[in-house]
């Protein structure tokens, strides 16, 4: 499975401002930015990201998934640390 496929699934299922997916060989990292994460616990944020990917996780196309979810304000504060230019 390609990172772009995961990105496409997440974009079509969720109202995300930004999504960045990297990785290979079943191990992927997701950075998702959306106002819908505002007020959610980290566990709930991760559940929101996992939900549209359950079929790929069940089929083992995705073996491991690391998720970082941000509100737009959190992303503005943190993106320079996470994604240096």
């Amino acid at each position: 499975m390609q990172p772009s496929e995961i990105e496409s699934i997440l974009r079509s299922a969720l109202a995300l401002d930004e999504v960045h997916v990297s990785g290979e060989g079943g191990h992927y990292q997701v950075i998702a930015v959306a106002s819908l994460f505002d007020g959610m616990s980290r566990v709930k944020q991760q559940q929101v990201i996992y939900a549209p990917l359950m079929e790929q996780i069940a089929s083992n196309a995705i073996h491991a998934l690391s998720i970082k979810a941000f509100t737009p304000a959190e992303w503005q504060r943190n993106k320079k640390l996470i994604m240096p230019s």
Side-chain angles (χ1 to χ4, degrees):
M1 176 160 239
Q2 296 297 314
S4 60
E5 293 174 272
I6 296 170
E7 191 173 309
S8 178
I9 291 166
L10 293 174
R11 283 192 185 278
S12 65
L14 303 170
L16 300 174
D17 295 349
E18 289 185 52
V19 62
H20 306 278
V21 181
S22 60
E24 61 185 7
H27 295 257
Y28 300 96
Q29 300 78 42
V30 173
I31 296 172
V33 182
S35 55
L36 67 94
F37 297 129
D38 193 29
M40 284 186 190
S41 69
R42 286 202 188 277
V43 170
K44 182 63 179 163
Q45 291 172 346
Q46 292 191 357
Q47 289 171 338
V48 167
I49 298 295
Y50 275 118
L53 299 171
M54 289 311 293
E55 185 178 316
Q56 290 75 20
I57 293 167
S59 72
N60 218 24
I62 297 174
H63 177 69
L65 192 62
S66 167
I67 299 170
K68 292 183 181 175
F70 299 94
T71 65
E74 290 169 336
W75 183 237
Q76 287 304 312
R77 288 192 305 269
N78 290 290
K79 82 172 162 183
K80 287 188 176 99
L81 300 172
I82 295 168
M83 298 182 75
S85 303

